[in-house]
Amino acid sequence: MKPAFAQLFRGARHSIIDAHAASEAEAGHYYGMQVLDAAGRPLNATFSAEPEADWVALIMESRSGRAAGRPGRNADYNPALTLLLERLARLDATLVDALVDSRKTQALGIPEAERRLIPEPVRLALVPDMEALRVRMGTAQAKIAQEPDATKGGNSTKRIRLRFDIPGYRPGQAQQVAGILSVPLQEAGAPRVLLERLESADDERPTEDDFTAAVAALDALDKAGHRALRVEQSYLRKALFRGPIALCDLCGRVFEVEFLVAAHIKKRANCDDQEKRDVAHVVMSACRFGCDELYERGYITVGNDGQVILSHAIEVSEHVRAYAVQHLKGKSFGRPMTGRASYFTWHRANKFLDPV
């Protein structure tokens, strides 16, 4: 993350919700996040996140105009909300529920059924026009808790609560989700869907809707996601490969670096931020001619003593067995185990095909 961006990000994380935004209880409970636009500029809009039942709940604070003694608050409510929905679509989130959650509706005890903004869950990756979805929710909230004799159209920028199901994120990771959503995707890190191998399982039977959602998500992520992936891979490869040729750390053979992968010893999606940055230990060199694939699929692993271990599962395929016996049997990992043992322990427990 660039220094200027990091400074903005830290500022966003540590800005507490404006005192006019909520009651004292709310201000003490919710931790405000400021939204940064695609260029990294802070918007005048604050949101929060918290775990709620099986969901991650996002709370968008209301917009208010200027008043005596104070400036307007959350003036960028609408563009910020649209931006948050677009970023959530890139995480393949489903908007399970949306409702007005203002102090007024809470004081009046209005039931959720009368505060709801959407009739049914919405898978955001299938939404062709996120701005239109935001406008529909704004139109719906304008009528909620409106005075019977009101002559105007009503407030369409109230405090709202959005409940999301986000694949790969548990309710307890709400603050992590907020941090990801508050900054542009290319600065927050490559999208989850592009960090995993694109492979199918025999028992999967995707529908046309599933395919449409996948295409929409990948199209939305293509530019920013691939940029982030290129930056990360370039950095990892530069750290691993200092010349035109290098060893595969598993089989010990020498290859031109174009045939080697900067592979994560512990699956990247399961690494915390500190582990992802532990470049000196968490990545290894693996050849594209078989070692990277066999390690990824759990046919091979590495023991605490550095010995390459073959799974009994290699017997199910004559090609896997022939490769493993010829190139990997009796081999030792090509780098010191210091600092790497815990990552291999994770691999043996979670990926290796033999019971540990």
Side-chain angles (χ1 to χ4, degrees):
M1 189 177 291
K2 297 177 182 178
F5 234 106
Q7 185 176 0
L8 285 171
F9 185 51
R10 285 194 295 270
R13 288 186 64 87
H14 294 288
S15 61
I16 304 297
I17 296 176
D18 192 308
H20 340 295
S23 65
E24 287 186 10
E26 289 173 336
H29 182 71
Y30 297 119
Y31 198 66
M33 300 291 290
Q34 189 171 22
V35 182
L36 306 185
D37 68 12
R41 296 183 293 263
L43 298 178
N44 183 357
T46 304
F47 76 101
S48 304
E50 65 180 15
E52 183 185 355
D54 295 329
W55 313 299
V56 171
L58 260 61
I59 300 92
M60 189 73 185
E61 297 302 327
S62 62
R63 175 182 172 181
S64 65
R66 294 181 179 180
R70 67 170 175 83
R73 182 178 57 79
N74 280 3
D76 295 322
Y77 179 105
N78 287 330
L81 180 54
T82 300
L83 194 57
L84 289 172
L85 292 172
E86 289 173 347
R87 289 173 182 173
L88 282 155
R90 296 171 183 176
L91 297 177
D92 196 23
T94 294
L95 178 58
V96 177
D97 202 3
L99 50 106
V100 172
D101 197 29
S102 64
R103 284 180 294 169
K104 183 176 181 179
T105 58
Q106 293 171 7
L108 293 173
I110 301 175
E112 285 195 3
E114 298 176 22
R115 295 186 278 134
R116 191 151 282 131
L117 305 178
I118 56 173
E120 59 187 14
V122 179
R123 188 173 180 183
L124 296 180
L126 293 174
V127 176
D129 187 344
M130 209 64 73
E131 174 69 8
L133 172 62
R134 195 272 306 163
V135 170
R136 287 198 299 273
M137 290 197 295
T139 301
Q141 64 173 289
K143 304 172 184 177
I144 297 172
Q146 191 175 21
E147 297 295 338
D149 57 349
T151 57
K152 296 183 179 180
N155 181 8
S156 62
T157 54
K158 295 183 173 79
R159 184 178 191 270
I160 59 175
R161 174 176 293 265
L162 308 176
R163 295 165 175 157
F164 293 97
D165 177 21
I166 308 175
Y169 293 94
R170 301 182 300 278
Q173 295 175 291
Q175 286 302 318
Q176 179 183 348
V177 170
I180 292 171
L181 297 177
S182 66
V183 299
L185 177 66
Q186 60 264 38
E187 296 295 333
R192 176 180 305 272
V193 67
L194 291 179
L195 291 172
E196 307 303 334
R197 291 169 176 265
L198 300 178
E199 60 182 39
S200 62
D202 292 339
D203 59 349
E204 287 183 350
R205 296 290 184 271
T207 65
E208 186 171 348
D209 281 349
D210 293 329
F211 175 72
T212 301
V215 170
L218 288 171
D219 283 349
L221 290 167
D222 186 67
K223 184 176 181 180
H226 278 88
R227 176 185 177 276
L229 279 175
R230 286 197 302 270
V231 169
E232 182 180 77
Q233 271 296 309
S234 295
Y235 183 83
L236 294 179
R237 292 180 67 82
K238 181 179 179 181
L240 275 178
F241 310 130
R242 302 304 174 89
I245 60 173
L247 290 171
C248 168
D249 286 329
L250 294 168
C251 70
R253 291 179 292 171
V254 177
F255 295 97
E256 292 85 355
V257 294
E258 64 183 297
F259 299 117
L260 293 168
V261 175
H264 279 78
I265 297 173
K266 177 179 178 179
K267 190 175 181 180
R268 188 192 185 282
N270 294 98
C271 290
D272 60 29
D273 186 66
Q274 182 178 349
E275 290 172 333
K276 290 172 186 174
R277 296 173 184 276
D278 186 17
V279 176
H281 302 108
V282 77
V283 293
M284 65 179 175
S285 169
C287 70
R288 297 178 184 272
F289 292 100
C291 291
D292 177 52
E293 190 70 16
L294 295 188
Y295 184 84
E296 174 68 22
R297 292 177 179 271
Y299 284 102
I300 61 173
T301 192
V302 175
N304 284 331
D305 59 358
Q307 287 293 304
V308 175
I309 304 171
L310 311 185
S311 167
H312 291 93
I314 66 170
E315 301 297 336
V316 302
S317 167
E318 62 175 300
H319 302 293
V320 172
R321 184 182 187 281
Y323 181 92
V325 170
Q326 179 180 357
H327 298 295
L328 294 163
K329 189 174 182 179
K331 295 292 180 69
S332 296
F333 185 67
R335 298 173 192 262
M337 291 297 291
T338 304
R340 299 181 173 89
S342 62
Y343 298 131
F344 282 118
T345 297
W346 182 93
H347 184 267
R348 292 196 301 274
N350 294 277
K351 297 289 289 184
F352 191 48
L353 295 177
D354 285 3
V356 177

